[in-house]
Amino acid sequence: MAALIAENFRFLSLFFKSKDVMIFNGLVALGTVGSEELFSVVAFNCPCSPARNYIYGLAAIGVPALALFLIGVIWNNHTWNLVAECHKRGTKNFSAAATFLLFGSIMGRASVAPITWSVISLLRGEAYICALSEFVKPSSLDKFPAEYGADVLAKFPCRDVPANLTKFRDEVTRRLRYESQLFGWLLIGIVAVLVFLTKCLKHCCSPLSYRQEAYWAQYRSNEDKLFRRTAEVHSRILAAKNVKQFFGFVALDKEEKELVQEFPVEGVQPSPQWNAITGVYIYRENKGFPLYSRLHKWAKGVEGNGPTPEGHELLFLAS
């Protein structure tokens, strides 16, 4: 039993540590669904007032979606690699196709959460009903009393209406919820088709075989993990040396003492080396041999960024 529990925990650990894009996007979508449900229960409260319903309803859908989109852009490493690339080397080495692929990668990943938020909001319907109830034409409602207008229609989402208008409120709510859910399902369908076409286009245009592309993905993941882990240890050891030089001693725990003894750090890497391994990377080959990252390219001593007879650039961005 204990072995089974340990194996399950190991599986969950590997699952949540995975860098697979589909798993990551799925987790983002699930988190967004939970956030939207919490927002609807706790925060959403239609004002039920003419001219305010529309603004509030659209804001409830659009503002969180915009915030999630910006967060997605900020958290994407490609964004800051692009900033570093433009700052250090400019965009002279970017072709139109490479630029399109790069922005498509950034926008595509950043769109997962806002699209999920919009879809769930539309399927629930509360925000849509709140926004558009006052715009329902009274003439479209059979035997709707002529003395009532948009001000009463705006109160339908709050159920604060005269008793003789209850059946009209139910009809308006049902009609708007139908429209909202229809738009939600259409949005799901459109996104699904776009994702399918994008995946097909990516694999059709890829210069790599399926196995090499899988190896490249594994290499990037392993390189990133090892680089981060090594950088953390290197910075800790360097900080310990500097603190010791200032105070004359440094308070280290047992693990840190072992690290300092095992990995001597003599200095720091110069800025040109950091610049060489930072920025946007497009898959390249040098004399028929693949270069899987900027760090790989630097380690092999390959100079230059643009396509040359010895270093052939292939327009396939690291995802």
Side-chain angles (χ1 to χ4, degrees), residues 139-214:
S139 58
S140 66
L141 302 173
D142 186 31
K143 298 180 181 180
F144 187 81
E147 63 270 21
Y148 297 113
D151 55 338
V152 174
L153 290 171
K155 297 180 180 180
F156 278 11
C158 296
R159 304 177 181 270
D160 184 18
V161 295
N164 62 327
L165 296 182
T166 301
K167 67 174 183 178
F168 298 107
R169 176 183 57 77
D170 294 340
E171 181 180 350
V172 169
T173 301
R174 183 169 57 252
R175 182 189 303 179
L176 293 178
R177 179 169 283 110
Y178 154 76
E179 294 177 0
S180 179
Q181 292 182 347
L182 177 62
F183 289 140
W185 291 120
L186 288 176
L187 181 58
I188 291 175
I190 292 172
V191 172
V193 171
L194 289 177
V195 170
F196 172 75
L197 294 177
T198 301
K199 295 291 289 185
C200 291
L201 181 64
K202 174 185 175 182
H203 287 289
C204 289
C205 297
S206 173
L208 305 178
S209 66
Y210 174 77
R211 289 188 179 277
Q212 187 179 10
E213 186 177 337

Side-chain angles (χ1 to χ4, degrees), residues 49-299:
S49 174
R52 295 181 181 178
N53 284 12
Y54 183 70
I55 297 175
Y56 185 83
L58 292 184
I61 299 176
V63 173
L66 176 61
L68 290 170
F69 177 78
L70 294 178
I71 292 173
V73 172
I74 292 172
W75 278 358
N76 195 325
N77 290 334
H78 284 332
T79 302
W80 308 115
N81 283 333
L82 177 61
V83 172
E85 185 75 20
C86 294
H87 177 66
K88 298 297 182 182
R89 287 174 283 269
T91 58
K92 60 181 182 299
N93 298 313
F94 281 6
S95 64
T99 304
F100 175 79
L101 287 172
L102 176 62
F103 277 101
S105 175
I106 295 174
M107 300 303 163
R109 290 192 182 185
S111 298
V112 174
I115 289 177
T116 303
W117 179 279
S118 300
V119 166
I120 299 301
S121 296
L122 290 172
L123 292 180
R124 289 181 61 90
E126 282 87 351
Y128 188 90
I129 294 172
C130 177
L132 297 181
S133 62
E134 64 181 288
F135 297 103
V136 175
K137 293 182 179 180
S139 58
S140 66
L141 302 173
D142 186 31
K143 298 180 181 180
F144 187 81
E147 63 270 21
Y148 297 113
D151 55 338
V152 174
L153 290 171
K155 297 180 180 180
F156 278 11
C158 296
R159 304 177 181 270
D160 184 18
V161 295
N164 62 327
L165 296 182
T166 301
K167 67 174 183 178
F168 298 107
R169 176 183 57 77
D170 294 340
E171 181 180 350
V172 169
T173 301
R174 183 169 57 252
R175 182 189 303 179
L176 293 178
R177 179 169 283 110
Y178 154 76
E179 294 177 0
S180 179
Q181 292 182 347
L182 177 62
F183 289 140
W185 291 120
L186 288 176
L187 181 58
I188 291 175
I190 292 172
V191 172
V193 171
L194 289 177
V195 170
F196 172 75
L197 294 177
T198 301
K199 295 291 289 185
C200 291
L201 181 64
K202 174 185 175 182
H203 287 289
C204 289
C205 297
S206 173
L208 305 178
S209 66
Y210 174 77
R211 289 188 179 277
Q212 187 179 10
E213 186 177 337
Y215 178 85
W216 186 24
Q218 291 175 345
Y219 173 85
R220 292 198 312 270
S221 177
N222 289 326
E223 181 188 83
D224 183 66
K225 291 177 183 177
L226 292 173
F227 188 91
R228 291 176 181 272
R229 192 185 309 162
T230 305
E232 196 277 334
V233 173
H234 186 281
S235 62
R236 186 184 302 183
I237 296 173
L238 181 63
K241 291 181 62 176
N242 293 336
V243 171
K244 182 177 181 180
Q245 184 174 354
F246 183 82
F247 286 107
F249 73 97
V250 58
L252 300 175
D253 57 28
K254 181 178 179 181
E255 179 184 357
E256 290 171 334
K257 290 179 181 179
E258 293 175 353
L259 288 176
V260 171
Q261 294 175 357
E262 184 176 359
F263 304 111
V265 173
E266 300 300 333
V268 297
Q269 288 67 33
S271 293
Q273 289 186 9
W274 286 103
N275 294 336
I277 66 171
T278 303
V280 176
Y281 183 73
I282 300 174
Y283 177 84
R284 290 180 172 87
E285 292 182 358
N286 181 256
K287 299 179 180 179
F289 291 94
L291 300 173
Y292 290 120
S293 68
R294 284 197 173 276
L295 180 60
H296 188 191
K297 179 181 174 182
W298 172 84

